[in-house]
């Protein structure tokens, strides 16, 4: 049974998590987050093939599937997987991927991030603002309060693993 956290708002604490009452609301569970797991090579390969299938012809898919199977069986694949697991085991390393992800996907990526990287961001047609500058100003104005909550670390976390 999840226990209640002591705070100004009643929050259910998932089993295995601890509340750091000295941390701001957004970071109150940070210390008890588990390390990011490393998916198995087979799982990664299966997801890759599932993603590729609708994009290629049957013959191209067969070649891709063959190449993936050959790679999985190779010593190189085993070595790369071992290196990932070694990186994950470094003391103090909570997330083996975040540095690479931030550097490659965000900082090294020069196209507009919101449009090309943030897949769940949706631009609903705004019938009141037809001019691009008005639309952009409206979007920025709407996003600023959320950004401020993140910057001040007051955004309250949602407990995805609670039983309530």
């Amino acid at each position: 049974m999840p226990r209640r956290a002591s705070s100004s708002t009643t929050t259910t604490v998932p089993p295995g998590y601890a509340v750091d009452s000295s941390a701001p609301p957004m970071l109150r569970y940070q210390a008890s987050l588990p390390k990011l797991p490393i998916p198995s090579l087979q799982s990664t390969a299966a997801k890759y093939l599932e993603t590729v299938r609708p994009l290629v012809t049957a013959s191209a898919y067969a070649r891709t599937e063959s190449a993936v199977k050959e790679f999985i069986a190779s010593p190189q694949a085993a070595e790369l997987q071992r290196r990932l697991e070694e990186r994950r085991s470094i003391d103090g390393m909570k997330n083996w991927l975040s540095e690479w992800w931030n550097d490659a996907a965000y900082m090294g990526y020069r196209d507009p991030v919101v449009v090309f990287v943030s897949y769940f961001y949706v631009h609903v047609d705004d019938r009141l603002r037809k001019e691009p500058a008005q639309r952009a100003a409206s979007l920025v104005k709407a996003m600023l309060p959320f950004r401020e909550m993140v910057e001040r670390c007051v955004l309250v976390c949602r407990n995805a693993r609670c039983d309530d």
Side-chain angles (χ1 to χ4, degrees):
M1 174 98 180
R3 58 193 190 283
R4 296 281 173 197
S6 58
S7 71
S8 58
T9 60
T10 304
T11 308
T12 304
V13 179
Y17 285 77
V19 176
D20 179 354
S21 57
S22 67
M26 191 171 95
L27 303 174
R28 69 174 49 135
Y29 302 112
Q30 194 71 23
S32 48
L33 290 176
K35 285 188 169 197
L36 182 68
I38 295 184
S40 71
L41 192 54
Q42 290 72 21
S43 170
T44 301
K47 287 177 184 172
Y48 172 71
L49 288 171
E50 182 182 339
T51 302
V52 167
R53 179 169 236 137
L55 304 174
V56 297
T57 64
S59 62
Y61 181 78
R63 288 191 307 275
T64 303
E65 188 175 38
S66 175
V68 166
K69 286 178 182 176
E70 183 180 330
F71 175 72
I72 288 174
S74 74
Q76 183 183 25
E79 174 62 18
L80 291 171
Q81 187 73 9
R82 184 195 67 73
R83 288 183 187 182
L84 285 177
E85 290 165 5
E86 185 178 283
R87 179 175 168 85
R88 182 180 185 267
S89 69
I90 295 172
D91 283 340
M93 172 92 49
K94 282 279 194 175
N95 186 328
W96 57 271
L97 180 61
S98 64
E99 182 182 338
W100 293 337
W101 179 258
N102 289 337
D103 289 348
Y106 287 99
M107 302 311 224
Y109 193 77
R110 302 317 314 156
D111 287 334
V113 174
V114 170
V115 177
F116 294 113
V117 177
S118 299
Y119 307 109
F120 296 103
Y121 195 88
V122 177
H123 293 282
V124 178
D125 186 31
D126 187 341
R127 295 178 188 181
L128 300 177
R129 294 163 193 89
K130 296 292 184 189
E131 296 300 316
Q134 290 174 326
R135 179 72 171 137
S138 174
L139 287 169
V140 170
K141 181 181 177 189
M143 289 179 240
L144 284 176
F146 179 80
R147 181 185 182 278
E148 183 180 342
M149 291 173 69
V150 171
E151 291 291 319
R152 291 182 25 231
C153 295
V154 297
L155 190 64
V156 178
C157 296
R158 301 283 184 240
N159 299 332
R161 294 186 180 183
C162 287
D163 296 327
D164 55 348

